[in-house]
Amino acid sequence: MNILLTGGAGYIGSHAAVVLCAAGHNVVILDNFCNSQHSVLDRLTKIVGKPMPCIEGDIRDTLLLEKVLKDYKIETVMHFAGLKAVGESVQNPLDYFDNNVGGTISLLHAMRSNNVKSMVFSSSATVYGMPNYLPLDEAHPTQAKNPYGRSKLHIEEILTDLAASDPAWHISFLRYFNPVGAHESGLIGEDPNGIPNNLVPYIAQVALGRLPHLNVYGDDYPTADGSGVRDYIHVMDLAEGHLAALNYIQQQPGVCVFNLGSGKGSSVFEVVKVFENENASSIPLKVTMRRIGDVSECYAKVDKANIHLNWKATRTLQDMCRSTWNFQKNHKCANQ
Ligand SMILES: NC(=O)c1ccc[n+]([C@@H]2O[C@H](COP(=O)([O-])OP(=O)(O)OC[C@H]3O[C@@H](n4cnc5c(N)ncnc54)[C@H](O)[C@@H]3O)[C@@H](O)[C@H]2O)c1
């Protein structure tokens, strides 16, 4: 199948590109590189053994999208492109709605006029807001608490309305929990600009000596060791979930939604311990106050994806920490 990956040069999109190529699909990347590097393309070539077509451009450029869909005879779209930093979205909500929601509307216009009506969309567990109960299943009320989460929710609503208006659409929302880790080659991985927002990339920066210590926001939560608990999923498991969703929607018109997580919660202290054990390093910690809006625990119920997509996360927290460090070490050398 000919598949367009918007945001395919980014962290999750690049790993999905590898999995889709290995499954025999033709992948085309469209990215504006606002949060990724051009060198990812060479690294992808090394992994898959052939260059992947990439168009540098913005999803808000509808005419460009129309041309790409036509030129490459695209049959389906995996829509990863988006801005994703919660704090930044609170500072600049308009940028987030413009890029994420406006960009998606532009993409959908181009798709509709080219009769491409199949999409796998990168949504987020953020759409659930504060958990009313755990584990979070797909029927949990959505109550996003920040502009980033609301941008994802608006997109889900737009896609739902679109599918209701025309039964030819086949759409899946994948609500990711916390993607971590890297491809086993160590060539691609998460490489955030500036100070990382996520726990494991932050730990890796501390291990590299670029940051002095890890802040642990609260050790008095009602969890086993007092630190916050989250559901971490290996990025390669997540990428394989996209392939499973792609196969599923071929037979399934309308909209379907799946949580992609491990289904298991791990605490901050647990993640630090595993990282230290796997990589023989010591991570200095500073316990500080809880952050406003943080919940004590959050993890997914993943039965729906297990049953309908025949997909399950198989990689462990050890795998996530080891592969993150492998990528960071390689990447550090490559950048020196
Ligand atoms: N990583 C996570 O923790 C996480 C969790 C839940 C959901 N998501 C969602 O998954 C998707 C992929 O996330 P990621 O971690 O790979 O992020 P990323 O920033 O690494 O990748 C996103 C890519 O999209 C590109 N992009 C952004 N706006 C664009 C635009 N207007 N036109 C073209 N390209 C554009 C960026 O340059 C980047 O390469 C995002 O939509 C994100 O919101 C990520």
Side-chain angles (χ1 to χ4, degrees), residues 11-12 31-32 34-36 58-59 80 84 99 148 152:
Y11 172 45
I12 301 167
D31 204 300
N32 68 0
C34 69
N35 197 36
S36 47
D58 197 294
I59 52 168
F80 298 98
K84 62 169 185 177
N99 194 77
Y148 166 67
K152 292 290 175 189

Side-chain angles (χ1 to χ4, degrees), residues 6-14 30-37 57-60 79-84 99-100 103 121-126 148 152 174-179 190 198:
T6 70
Y11 172 45
I12 301 167
S14 58
L30 182 134
D31 204 300
N32 68 0
F33 294 93
C34 69
N35 197 36
S36 47
Q37 298 173 352
D58 197 294
I59 52 168
R60 289 163 291 186
H79 181 27
F80 298 98
L83 302 175
K84 62 169 185 177
N99 194 77
N100 295 1
F121 167 61
S122 299
S123 190
S124 166
T126 320
Y148 166 67
K152 292 290 175 189
L174 303 180
R175 292 178 178 158
Y176 311 159
F177 279 68
N178 296 278
E190 186 168 18
N198 297 334

